[in-house]
């Protein structure tokens, strides 16, 4: 079987690619070894989480790896403990909480934390608005999309057009 994710980054001055291809077990082992050697490198935790998530979500029955979906969130927890003011880390953990565990509360808390840390970033408003849409909470989605649209974000403008009631449309 063929996997799709390729994770690239610079390690020791060389670009290193980790993929969910045939050598995924070795790649996960290499990332784990790098984490042990460099425990404060947020990048390695993120790459391992992304690789483990992709492998286990795309091919759960065929995949035999020591790391499972339950290991993805702890990698993000560790990354956040290293960089607690990094909004992107909270947003990513929120995505994983929703996708892996259907943890709505945890996902909304993390997405809200990303907005708290970077209130002028419309990307976070779009991401939380999208989660509200999935939860059928269109009023809250509309609030996020409207704020993002006011910042000039095109994606939020489309979200606002699609999910905010207008007099012309007569509601959702």
């Amino acid at each position: 079987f063929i996997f799709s994710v390729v994770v690239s980054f610079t390690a020791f001055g060389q670009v290193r690619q980790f993929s969910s291809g045939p050598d995924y077990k070795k790649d996960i082992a290499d990332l784990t070894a790098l984490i042990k050697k460099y425990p404060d490198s947020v990048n390695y935790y993120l790459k391992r989480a992304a690789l483990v998530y992709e492998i286990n979500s795309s091919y759960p029955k065929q995949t035999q790896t020591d790391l499972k979906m339950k290991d993805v969130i702890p990698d993000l927890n560790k990354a956040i403990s290293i960089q607690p003011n990094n909004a992107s880390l909270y947003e990513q953990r929120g995505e994983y909480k929703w996708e892996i565990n259907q943890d709505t509360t945890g996902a909304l808390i993390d997405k809200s934390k990303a907005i708290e840390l970077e209130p002028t970033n419309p990307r976070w408003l779009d991401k939380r608005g999208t989660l509200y849409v999935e939860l059928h909470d269109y009023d809250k989605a509309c609030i996020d999309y409207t704020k993002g649209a006011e910042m000039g974000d095109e994606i939020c403008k489309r979200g606002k057009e699609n999910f905010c009631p207008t007099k012309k449309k007569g509601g959702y």
Side-chain angles (χ1 to χ4, degrees), residues 2-69:
I2 305 253
F3 292 99
S4 61
V5 72
V6 174
V7 180
S8 301
F9 60 93
T10 302
F12 319 113
Q14 297 180 331
V15 173
R16 172 70 155 85
Q17 288 190 346
F18 294 93
S19 77
S20 50
D23 294 329
Y24 70 86
K25 287 182 186 180
K26 181 184 180 322
D27 290 341
I28 290 173
D30 288 350
L31 282 165
T32 301
L34 287 167
I35 287 170
K36 286 180 182 171
K37 189 170 185 175
Y38 303 99
D40 291 332
S41 175
V42 168
N43 222 9
Y44 297 138
Y45 290 102
L46 290 176
K47 302 310 178 193
R48 185 172 69 179
L51 190 57
V52 169
Y53 175 79
E54 181 65 26
I55 290 166
N56 284 286
S57 64
S58 297
Y59 303 95
K61 294 193 191 290
Q62 297 105 325
T63 305
Q64 297 300 317
T65 175
D66 292 338
L67 294 174
K68 302 290 182 196
M69 287 296 203

Side-chain angles (χ1 to χ4, degrees), residues 86-92 110-130 144 153 156:
N86 185 327
S88 181
L89 296 176
Y90 286 96
E91 205 295 315
Q92 187 62 54
D110 281 350
K111 289 173 180 291
S112 296
K113 181 67 174 180
I115 293 168
E116 176 188 320
L117 291 170
E118 292 182 2
T120 59
N121 187 336
R123 182 172 156 207
W124 308 144
L125 291 163
D126 169 57
K127 298 279 190 171
R128 189 174 68 181
T130 300
D144 282 351
D153 185 77
C156 286

Side-chain angles (χ1 to χ4, degrees), residues 79-139:
I80 288 171
S81 75
I82 296 166
Q83 292 183 2
N85 294 317
N86 185 327
S88 181
L89 296 176
Y90 286 96
E91 205 295 315
Q92 187 62 54
R93 186 175 68 179
E95 281 296 310
Y96 286 136
K97 284 179 176 179
W98 171 248
E99 293 294 328
I100 295 169
N101 301 324
Q102 298 296 299
D103 177 4
T104 305
T105 302
L108 287 172
I109 288 169
D110 281 350
K111 289 173 180 291
S112 296
K113 181 67 174 180
I115 293 168
E116 176 188 320
L117 291 170
E118 292 182 2
T120 59
N121 187 336
R123 182 172 156 207
W124 308 144
L125 291 163
D126 169 57
K127 298 279 190 171
R128 189 174 68 181
T130 300
L131 179 57
Y132 281 133
V133 167
E134 288 185 33
L135 299 172
H136 305 285
D137 192 338
Y138 301 111
D139 291 335

